[in-house]
Amino acid sequence: MTRRLLLAAATLALPVVATAPAAAQDGERSLPTLESLGLGGWSNASGSVQLGFSGRADVELYVPGEDPTYLITETATFVAPRIRFFTDLFVGESWFATAELRLDRGPSEVGDGLDFRLEQAFLRWTPLQALALQAGRFASPFGSYPSRHHTDGDWFIRPPLIYEYRTVVLEDQIPPDADAWVNWKDDAELRPRGAPPAWGAPYQWGGMAFGVLRDLGWRVAYVNSAPSSGPDAWDRLDFERGNLVAALGYRFAPWVRAEVSYSTGPFLEREENIVGDIPEAHGLDWYVQDIVGGEILFQLQHTQVRAEAFHDTWTYIEEDAIDISWSVEARQELYQDWFVAGRIGEVRFSDIETTAGAEPWDYNVRRIQAAAGYRFARNAEIRTEYLTNATDGPIDPDDDLISVQLWWAF
């Protein structure tokens, strides 16, 4: 009951914001930015060298249930602040460099204290519109969510289920056989260590080539870890566990675009980090994640619809283990800068053969998200979201989540 009251209070707070701030009533409807304060950057006399500064501040309130919500491990109400500072450098028409400094509670918003780090930094050379080369640390090139999270293209506070649900594939432990592995899905101590099909929004080290030719877009990248890898793997400036990523997209019309993406490579941790024995029959490179994703986006006036699906194959035991996941989300912009959005998603798991017969290697799981927000200034917004999960397992955890977010781009 308390959580329902908090959700109602968060939702009711939005009309207060809608009627209160003067910024929403004037012509500009903009909160201060570094540019408006005269701190937005510098350029030389000819404009061939330009340096830009910008940032974004977020404050998020989370009200979890009695059980952890996958990547969020806390069960008590908490606040997660986040500040990002961007520096962009343009040299001529072909060279671009950027760096992002971030202060927050960590990639899952649940770390102890605040973490200050270099989140991304890369150099890009664009000799042709159809070809650009990039190297450094950047958002994962697999799928679209990593590049659009915490932007205007991200309509929710929490990610789709595909990018958050912890399976019973462990990056630091290998099951001895299928019989032992199917029992892992009932082990409450192993679940928090499980790998999602894709781990939120990874910022990995690597190199990428990409380009646009009329309505066709493409990219090929080599990054230092798998899409399912956790933050510790993203930080390593080595490619011992590197993965190949490729994507191809096409804009069929101004209002519809589709893309397919693929990633393949080892997903286990390095040998010194593996818990227990490593089977003699296979080296670590035998344990591969092959994942194919597809996405389609419709956008017409004030309505947007996005659908995404993954086919994910793990070489983890002698028989390939597969999960198939999908999500569909829609956003409708309303009068005076309001919006509402909804998302539904599911992850389903294949059967594997055991001595007792065939059974799924994990429990199927579903998620529903509902969100609403108000853009009370050109560069500031408040939104709220309710998230509920359901599983086919014998015990359905109380892992619903209420969240509220206030962001300001400066």
Side-chain angles (χ1 to χ4, degrees), residues 24-205:
Q25 309 302 324
D26 61 29
E28 292 296 326
R29 299 185 60 197
S30 178
L31 296 185
T33 65
L34 294 178
E35 183 176 4
S36 68
L37 297 173
L39 303 173
W42 168 89
S43 66
N44 64 359
S46 65
S48 61
V49 179
Q50 300 180 37
L51 186 64
F53 304 111
S54 61
R56 173 165 159 154
D58 306 74
V59 177
E60 295 167 351
L61 169 69
Y62 289 105
V63 186
E66 296 179 358
D67 298 297
T69 309
Y70 309 134
L71 294 187
I72 289 184
T73 56
E74 296 191 12
T75 56
T77 299
F78 67 97
V79 174
R82 182 186 309 110
I83 298 177
R84 293 182 285 166
F85 183 75
F86 304 95
T87 301
D88 298 323
L89 175 64
F90 298 86
V91 179
E93 297 182 356
S94 301
W95 291 93
F96 169 70
T98 188
E100 176 192 345
L101 297 175
R102 184 176 295 199
L103 179 68
D104 61 12
R105 297 187 65 188
S108 297
E109 290 84 30
V110 293
D112 295 329
L114 293 176
D115 176 34
F116 182 72
R117 63 189 182 278
L118 178 67
E119 188 75 321
Q120 62 177 327
F122 60 82
L123 177 66
R124 178 185 298 164
W125 178 47
T126 310
L128 303 168
Q129 181 181 2
L131 174 64
L133 302 175
Q134 177 174 303
R137 181 171 181 169
F138 46 87
S140 171
F142 177 78
S144 73
Y145 178 74
S147 61
R148 65 183 171 89
H149 81 297
H150 297 318
T151 70
D152 286 350
D154 186 5
W155 310 327
F156 299 84
I157 301 174
R158 296 305 302 164
L161 179 66
I162 298 172
Y163 294 87
E164 190 175 33
Y165 179 68
R166 288 190 178 274
T167 71
V168 288
V169 173
L170 305 187
E171 295 175 320
D172 61 356
Q173 189 169 340
I174 302 169
D177 51 45
D179 287 5
W181 190 36
V182 295
N183 293 324
W184 284 11
K185 62 179 180 283
D186 294 313
D187 191 325
E189 294 184 0
L190 292 180
R191 176 72 65 180
R193 291 165 46 202
W199 209 107
Y203 284 87
Q204 300 159 304
W205 290 95

Side-chain angles (χ1 to χ4, degrees), residues 177-179 182 317 319-320 350-359:
D177 51 45
D179 287 5
V182 295
I317 55 174
E319 176 185 0
D320 283 346
S350 67
D351 289 348
I352 59 172
E353 292 294 333
T354 70
T355 55
E359 66 172 284

Side-chain angles (χ1 to χ4, degrees), residues 262-286:
Y262 172 68
S263 176
T264 183
F267 66 87
L268 288 183
E269 275 280 359
R270 294 179 294 188
E271 184 172 351
E272 61 268 23
N273 296 330
I274 299 296
V275 177
D277 297 328
I278 301 173
E280 295 182 1
H282 307 301
L284 290 185
D285 289 343
W286 184 82

